[in-house]
């Protein structure tokens, strides 16, 4: 896990999703054409490059494509907006802005990346997102106000940029996964209003702290993040020691649960991990969460010597590749349901040359969202009269998605089983109970 640095290509969508009700089409800058209207501000490094509502001219389109080739931008598509009911992307900007504000002081570069992370997770409704926002706010408040962790935060501002960004990403996704687990065990009431307010996850500070600082043991060897050549045996050994080194670097007052989660965050569910080769329930439940979230965020970030994977590829390999046994299967399936690698608005190229647009995510199968075929093989919008009904990607054998922007997604055309959380229900309830107990420690 060396040399990981968050790159624009792994979270390519720098556009902040403001005005989510206007979410129509997500295009890469190379696909922008004069006359298109921006559905959101285009933001980079806290600067608004172009405001929401701006109508692009030829120079804008050319400039954006040249200067920000990996940027994705939301534009209006009057035909599609009128013809099909897009799933709302759930108020993600609210939580992201809050995270940005709170971390701006000493986690500036981190927060810029952090607000991109959760936008890929679209399987939450607005109320659920508000609840998650509150949990994250409480965690950040705890960490900022607690003298022990505050001190760590101050030190962290001198860490390698990757370590800061990675810690923040793991923090966000870990809380999201816990939140999802809570929702699975105690589904929100269908009625509007106060739901799940009695949940018992307030005490997740140990996990949140562990998530932010899980790789603190890499700080003494953080120069390896910039190394482009192969690692020596000695360097590999130092890396394998980082969970133990990390605990030594933590202040004595730090919670025992946090220490345990950090020590065990590279233990694999099948016993093949390090430091102690623990397996299954021998591994602290927080560490099992970190293992999954850490692997995903590391996979989708660039490394000095290794290019990042796309979210679709990373999630697919975690679920169906040779490393699958490393992860707690119940938690992995839950995690897969909240990651949407083909987000609403994504324009997918099909094998027949036509283009489809994602209109609805699919929590049962993140690789098979609902789409509508909306562009011809010249990428010209189809008139409303020629638009057929939306369908899920696994509903039609004659339709295969081959790419999303520059991402090759043809590997997703093989049959991918739906996620069944029912078979993991017992395990998830057990994990939840353990987590609640740990949260009270
Ligand atoms: Fe690590
Ligand atoms: Fe890590």
């Amino acid at each position: 896990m060396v040399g990981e640095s968050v790159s624009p290509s792994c979270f390519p969508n720098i556009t902040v999703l403001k005005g989510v009700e206007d979410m129509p089409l997500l295009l890469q800058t190379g696909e922008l054409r004069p006359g298109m209207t921006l559905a959101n501000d285009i933001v980079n490094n806290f600067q608004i490059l172009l405001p929401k509502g701006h109508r692009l001219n030829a120079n804008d389109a050319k400039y954006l494509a040249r200067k920000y080739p990996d940027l994705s931008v939301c534009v209006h598509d009057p035909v599609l907006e009128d013809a099909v009911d897009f799933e709302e992307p759930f108020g993600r900007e609210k939580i992201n802005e809050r995270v940005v504000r709170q971390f701006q002081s000493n986690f500036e570069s981190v927060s810029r990346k952090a607000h991109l992370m959760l936008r890929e997770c679209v399987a939450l409704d607005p109320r659920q997102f508000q609840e998650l926002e509150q949990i994250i706010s409480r965690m950040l408040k705890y960490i900022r106000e607690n003298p022990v962790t505050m001190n760590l935060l101050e030190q962290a501002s001198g860490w390698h940029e990757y370590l800061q960004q990675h810690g923040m990403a793991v923090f966000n996704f870990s809380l999201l996964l816990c939140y999802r687990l809570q929702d699975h065990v105690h589904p929100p009431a269908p009625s509007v209003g106060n739901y799940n307010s009695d949940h018992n996850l307030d005490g997740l500070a140990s996990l949140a702290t562990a998530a932010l600082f899980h790789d603190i043991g890499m700080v003494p060897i953080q120069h390896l993040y910039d190394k482009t050549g192969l690692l020596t045996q000695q360097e590999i050994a130092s890396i394998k020691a980082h969970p133990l080194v990390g605990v030594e670097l933590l202040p004595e007052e730090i919670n025992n649960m946090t220490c345990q989660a950090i020590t065990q965050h590279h233990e694999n569910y099948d016993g093949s991990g390090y430091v102690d080769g623990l397996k299954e329930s021998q591994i602290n439940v927080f560490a099992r969460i970190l293992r999954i979230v850490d692997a995903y965020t590391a996979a989708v970030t660039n490394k000095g010597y290794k290019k990042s994977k796309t979210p679709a590829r990373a999630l697919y390999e975690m679920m169906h590749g040779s490393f699958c046994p490393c992860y707690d299967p119940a938690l992995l399936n839950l995690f897969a349901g909240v990651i949407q690698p083909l987000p609403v608005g994504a324009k997918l190229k099909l094998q027949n040359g036509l283009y489809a647009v994602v209109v609805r995510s699919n929590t049962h199968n993140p690789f098979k969202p609902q789409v509508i075929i909306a562009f011809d093989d010249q990428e010209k919008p189809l008139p409303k009269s020629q638009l057929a009904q939306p369908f899920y990607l696994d509903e039609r054998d004659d339709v295969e998605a081959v790419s999303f922007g520059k991402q090759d997604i043809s590997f997703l055309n093989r049959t991918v089983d739906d996620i069944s959380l029912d078979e993991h229900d017992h395990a998830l309830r057990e994990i939840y109970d353990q987590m609640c107990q740990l949260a009270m420690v």
Side-chain angles (χ1 to χ4, degrees):
M1 296 295 165
V2 169
E4 302 141 314
S5 67
V6 176
S7 80
S9 60
C10 39
F11 298 106
N13 309 310
I14 297 185
T15 308
V16 173
L17 290 176
K18 289 181 178 170
V20 289
E21 72 281 4
D22 298 326
M23 168 86 185
L25 204 55
L26 207 52
L27 296 181
Q28 291 215 303
T29 48
E31 300 174 289
L32 295 173
R33 297 288 171 262
M36 289 177 169
T37 307
L38 296 179
N40 297 309
D41 295 338
I42 299 180
V43 180
N44 194 24
N45 280 338
F46 300 109
Q47 302 278 322
I48 295 182
L49 300 176
L50 288 171
K52 175 182 173 182
H54 178 80
R55 205 174 149 87
L56 295 173
N57 59 36
N59 284 340
D60 296 333
K62 223 156 58 184
Y63 173 78
L64 288 169
R66 182 167 47 82
K67 184 94 177 161
Y68 304 100
D70 291 321
L71 194 71
S72 292
V73 174
C74 280
V75 295
H76 283 297
D77 187 307
V79 175
L80 274 181
E81 280 170 24
D82 193 39
V84 63
D85 182 20
F86 278 79
E87 184 180 34
E88 284 195 17
F90 314 122
R92 287 168 292 202
E93 82 297 346
K94 203 174 159 197
I95 189 167
N96 294 335
E97 281 176 356
R98 179 75 62 90
V99 171
V100 166
R101 264 204 313 279
Q102 292 198 352
F103 266 72
Q104 202 154 354
S105 55
N106 54 353
F107 261 64
E108 196 150 309
S109 63
V110 178
S111 50
R112 180 163 50 84
K113 302 290 182 185
H115 78 251
L116 307 177
M117 300 293 173
L118 287 172
R119 61 163 296 179
E120 291 183 29
C121 305
V122 295
L124 296 175
D125 71 32
R127 286 180 305 153
Q128 289 176 308
F129 230 95
Q130 276 177 11
E131 182 94 358
L132 176 63
E133 181 194 33
Q134 287 166 11
I135 291 175
I136 287 190
S137 292
R138 279 203 296 270
M139 291 302 140
L140 291 173
K141 192 164 181 287
Y142 168 86
I143 286 166
R144 285 169 67 84
E145 288 178 355
N146 180 314
V148 178
T149 43
M150 180 68 191
N151 194 7
L152 278 174
L153 263 190
E154 276 170 18
Q155 289 172 27
S157 61
W159 292 2
H160 192 286
E161 193 191 8
Y162 168 76
L163 275 174
Q164 297 184 46
Q165 291 163 353
H166 177 63
M168 189 66 204
V170 172
F171 169 88
N172 274 323
F173 278 112
S174 298
L175 291 177
L176 182 67
L177 182 53
C178 289
Y179 179 77
R180 196 60 175 195
L181 176 61
Q182 175 207 292
D183 249 18
H184 174 82
V185 176
H186 297 298
S191 58
V192 180
N194 204 13
Y195 76 113
N196 263 1
S197 56
D198 59 345
H199 68 74
N200 201 8
L201 295 183
D202 284 3
L204 286 178
S206 309
L207 172 64
T209 309
L212 267 180
F213 304 113
H214 71 280
D215 276 336
I216 188 174
M218 289 297 293
V219 173
I221 49 172
Q222 60 181 7
H223 60 278
L224 295 180
Y225 285 112
D226 298 318
K227 182 165 181 180
T228 48
L230 286 177
L231 297 170
T232 65
Q233 287 303 316
Q234 199 181 356
E235 286 166 342
I236 292 170
S238 323
I239 291 165
K240 288 206 161 181
H242 83 273
L244 291 179
V245 173
V247 174
E248 283 168 24
L249 291 175
L250 290 171
E252 269 179 20
E253 302 85 352
I254 211 101
N255 183 308
N256 189 38
M257 281 307 128
T258 304
C259 291
Q260 211 175 78
I262 291 179
T263 316
Q264 297 180 4
H265 80 272
H266 281 283
E267 298 290 356
N268 288 338
Y269 195 74
D270 62 356
S272 64
Y274 57 95
V275 182
D276 291 319
L278 302 177
K279 64 191 289 196
E280 299 177 6
S281 59
Q282 293 172 329
I283 308 170
N284 175 312
V285 70
F286 288 166
R288 276 184 266 159
I289 289 170
L290 290 182
R291 184 72 190 93
I292 290 169
V293 171
D294 186 29
Y296 176 77
T297 53
V300 296
T301 51
N302 265 336
K303 301 176 181 180
Y305 56 92
K306 202 167 156 193
K307 216 174 169 314
S308 63
K309 291 175 180 162
T310 62
R313 172 75 70 175
L315 186 62
Y316 182 84
E317 287 184 2
M318 284 179 73
M319 295 197 69
H320 304 287
S322 57
F323 288 106
C324 180
C326 298
Y327 315 114
D328 182 320
L331 286 171
L332 179 62
N333 276 278
L334 199 65
F335 183 67
V338 297
I339 297 291
Q340 293 298 327
L342 306 175
V344 172
K347 188 174 158 192
L348 311 180
K349 187 174 185 184
L350 306 178
Q351 91 288 359
N352 55 13
L354 304 180
Y355 289 80
V357 174
V358 175
V359 297
R360 193 165 297 277
S361 56
N362 182 353
T363 53
H364 297 292
N365 197 329
F367 307 114
K368 308 288 181 186
Q370 192 183 51
V371 301
I372 185 168
I373 297 177
F375 295 87
D376 69 12
D377 57 3
Q378 305 297 309
E379 295 193 58
K380 289 207 181 74
L382 296 174
K384 194 175 169 185
S385 57
Q386 285 184 31
L387 294 176
Q389 283 300 307
F391 57 93
Y392 285 96
L393 273 177
D394 53 358
E395 285 178 335
R396 278 179 56 176
D397 292 338
D398 60 323
V399 173
E400 291 187 356
V402 294
S403 60
F404 164 32
K406 293 174 191 162
Q407 300 180 30
D408 169 20
I409 54 168
S410 53
F411 65 96
L412 296 177
N413 289 318
R414 61 200 80 168
T415 305
V416 182
D417 290 340
D418 279 358
I419 296 167
S420 166
L421 287 182
D422 290 347
E423 64 181 276
H424 297 295
D425 185 62
H426 180 70
L428 288 171
R429 285 174 188 279
E430 243 176 26
I431 292 169
Y432 180 78
D433 288 345
Q434 286 173 33
M435 246 173 50
C436 291
Q437 283 169 13
L438 292 180
M440 286 187 279
V441 173

